[in-house]
Amino acid sequence: MSTATSTAPVRGAPPPGARRRRIGVGVIGFGWLGQAHSRSLLRIPTLFENRSFDPQLIACSDALPARVEQATGSFSFKRASVDWRAVIDDPDVEAVFIAAPNMLHVQLVEAAAQAGKAVFCEKPVGGTPEQVVRAAQAARRAGVRSGVGYNYRWAPLVQYARELIANGELGEITNYRGRFFSMYGADPLGVNSWRFQLDQAGYGATSDLLSHAVDLAHMLLGPIIRVSGTLETFIRERPAPGDGASHYGRGRPEDPRTPVTNEDYAAMLCEFASGARGTFEVSRTLVGPESENAFDVYGTRGAVGWNLERLNELRLYRATEDRGSGYTTVLGGDRFGHHGVFVPGSGNAIAFEDLVTIEDYEFCSAVAEGRAFEPGFEQALAWAQVQAALLRSARSGCWEEVRS
Ligand SMILES: NC(=O)c1ccc[n+]([C@@H]2O[C@H](COP(=O)([O-])OP(=O)(O)OC[C@H]3O[C@@H](n4cnc5c(N)ncnc54)[C@H](O)[C@@H]3O)[C@@H](O)[C@H]2O)c1
């Protein structure tokens, strides 16, 4: 039990007297996630007293001039432009954060890696499995540190679930159920933004949603080795988008329609290398669940379940000699991971962007301290291999092996 007088070193703390290392950051793509990372980097010094680095927002790029203006005017970037090469070429930028549409990821990763920069890329690191392979090769060849925005890993209660499984407290894990049901595309008047376009997003619900669900499963249970799956596009036309339209934007009934060119839905049966069996289902058009990014893990001695819609709760069942505990609810609090950095005590909630802040803190700590970081591009590649097998299965109608 730790006490106030403990002399144990704080994880990630610089040695006494050491100076914090400055990390110059560049951000490419300044929409939802580009801004979320930038806000997170700005507030890290106010939250993590024992950090080994100080992030500095140096250069930003977005295709929209209004966002370029916002980067310097409201976020204190020193420089911003519509030219992403200026971010990568900037000598003061040590780490590049990529939050542009998926089909741009691979060329940005390749350019940043060739320039010797650490690269944090939003998931899925490319719009197709082939692009993820290229991105991973580029980082490996250049020997640069990589990170991927699988931010749900960093929920303190998800980390607690990982501990329970790894410590054997749930017994042998036999079954896994993963799903991500988001309603962002459920309204047929939702605009045809880049996420619905094969040439800008690459694949649809698999790249956008299933990548998160499978990443969590990989972290909790280990590799998936065989899959059988199906895909569908339920809403085949949508109102044309305006500049910078978000996937949450709405058109009008009289707007011209353009075709949707990637999938709305995917389902997959799978086998894990451990022998456990799993099911996955994701949709962006289902009506009802609004952001149900969830998993249930079942073992011979217990079970856990988590759902993003209830980010601060973990459902836990412990098998006992008599009647079992029944599902109980574990509330988030400062006894779990970095939760206490944001709010003290238990039952006081943290939120989506706090997970982005934790991942940015962990990534920059790894860069400053010369440590490996997970999830990096090797973990993105593990997802891409599952995606490739699912795409083959949807075509063949058969079970397909996950090939490395
Ligand atoms: N980890 C998560 O939970 C999460 C959530 C949302 C999005 N994402 C990922 O983040 C990335 C961005 O998604 P978003 O929702 O922020 O999208 P967004 O549409 O809000 O932002 C994308 C931005 O990229 C800009 N852009 C387009 N072309 C560009 C270019 N050539 N150079 C520079 N900027 C350019 C756009 O103008 C826009 O501002 C995607 O890869 C997505 O998968 C991850």
Side-chain angles (χ1 to χ4, degrees):
M1 175 115 180
S2 68
T3 67
T5 55
S6 165
T7 53
V10 181
R11 198 163 69 89
R19 290 180 50 204
R20 293 191 183 106
R21 189 143 100 48
R22 189 187 70 85
I23 297 182
V25 170
V27 174
I28 301 176
F30 202 52
W32 177 14
L33 260 285
Q35 295 189 18
H37 284 294
S38 303
R39 260 191 305 276
S40 291
L41 291 160
L42 281 173
R43 71 187 185 131
I44 280 173
T46 70
L47 294 167
F48 292 90
E49 185 57 27
N50 293 315
R51 68 195 178 282
S52 53
F53 64 94
D54 273 322
Q56 199 174 8
L57 299 186
I58 302 286
C60 181
S61 170
D62 195 278
L64 296 174
R67 292 191 180 159
V68 169
E69 179 64 37
Q70 205 182 354
T72 49
S74 304
F75 280 72
S76 76
F77 277 94
K78 291 187 185 309
R79 302 177 269 284
S81 79
V82 293
D83 176 12
W84 58 261
R85 286 210 170 268
V87 173
I88 287 168
D89 292 343
D90 195 312
D92 295 333
V93 168
E94 178 179 355
V96 177
F97 282 66
I98 296 170
N102 304 345
M103 286 300 265
L104 293 172
H105 289 176
V106 66
Q107 62 171 312
L108 301 175
V109 166
E110 284 175 340
Q114 275 160 23
K117 315 272 168 160
V119 197
F120 186 96
C121 186
E122 262 308 326
K123 40 63 60 171
V125 193
T128 64
E130 297 74 21
Q131 290 188 353
V132 186
V133 171
R134 266 177 57 193
Q137 280 171 346
R140 222 181 285 144
R141 224 178 279 131
V144 297
R145 201 163 314 287
S146 66
V148 184
Y150 284 123
N151 46 320
Y152 303 114
R153 280 184 177 225
W154 297 105
L157 285 174
V158 170
Q159 288 293 329
Y160 179 50
R162 179 190 204 177
E163 270 174 53
L164 290 169
I165 295 166
N167 296 341
E169 293 198 37
L170 306 182
E172 183 193 340
I173 305 301
T174 56
N175 294 79
Y176 188 96
R177 201 157 70 91
R179 58 207 176 277
F180 200 157
F181 297 137
S182 174
M183 267 183 69
Y184 71 74
D187 182 347
L189 285 180
V191 293
N192 214 349
S193 67
W194 66 262
R195 273 183 172 72
F196 300 89
Q197 301 300 313
L198 191 63
D199 63 341
Q200 294 176 68
Y203 289 99
T206 58
S207 285
D208 202 30
L209 304 175
L210 189 59
S211 60
H212 276 300
V214 167
D215 179 68
L216 287 176
H218 277 160
M219 180 186 80
L220 294 170
L221 255 65
I224 291 169
I225 55 168
R226 289 180 79 210
V227 307
S228 167
T230 180
L231 311 173
E232 181 56 308
T233 304
F234 289 106
I235 299 179
R236 293 178 177 270
E237 287 190 329
R238 293 179 175 279
D243 271 358
S246 147
H247 51 314
Y248 291 106
R250 293 282 170 277
R252 293 164 306 176
E254 62 273 24
D255 287 345
R257 307 295 161 112
T258 51
V260 170
T261 50
N262 58 23
E263 76 287 353
D264 288 332
Y265 170 85
M268 182 171 92
L269 284 174
C270 77
E271 294 179 16
F272 288 85
S274 67
R277 297 297 193 264
T279 64
F280 289 84
E281 207 179 3
V282 298
S283 175
R284 61 189 185 190
T285 51
L286 204 68
V287 172
E290 295 189 320
S291 196
E292 188 178 316
N293 172 17
F295 61 77
D296 287 286
V297 182
Y298 306 95
T300 50
R301 290 204 284 124
V304 281
W306 180 83
N307 178 352
L308 174 63
E309 291 176 348
R310 305 229 180 295
L311 162 55
N312 292 278
E313 297 176 17
L314 188 76
R315 294 170 65 243
L316 176 61
Y317 187 107
R318 289 184 192 271
T320 56
E321 290 300 314
D322 54 358
R323 286 162 287 190
S325 67
Y327 271 105
T328 57
T329 301
V330 180
L331 288 184
D334 59 11
R335 58 199 157 169
F336 298 113
H338 291 306
H339 190 116
V341 161
F342 302 96
V343 274
S346 285
N348 297 320
I350 62 169
F352 174 91
E353 209 160 294
D354 297 330
L355 308 188
V356 177
T357 303
I358 295 171
E359 80 180 345
D360 290 346
Y361 166 74
E362 292 285 354
F363 179 70
C364 289
S365 297
V367 170
E369 296 158 28
R371 288 191 277 109
F373 178 79
E374 273 190 27
F377 290 177
E378 297 307 319
Q379 284 68 42
L381 195 53
W383 145 251
Q385 287 156 353
V386 172
Q387 185 182 30
L390 167 62
L391 297 171
R392 285 198 305 278
S393 171
R395 281 193 298 270
S396 69
C398 300
W399 281 87
E400 296 285 346
E401 309 292 319
V402 175
R403 298 179 195 145
S404 50

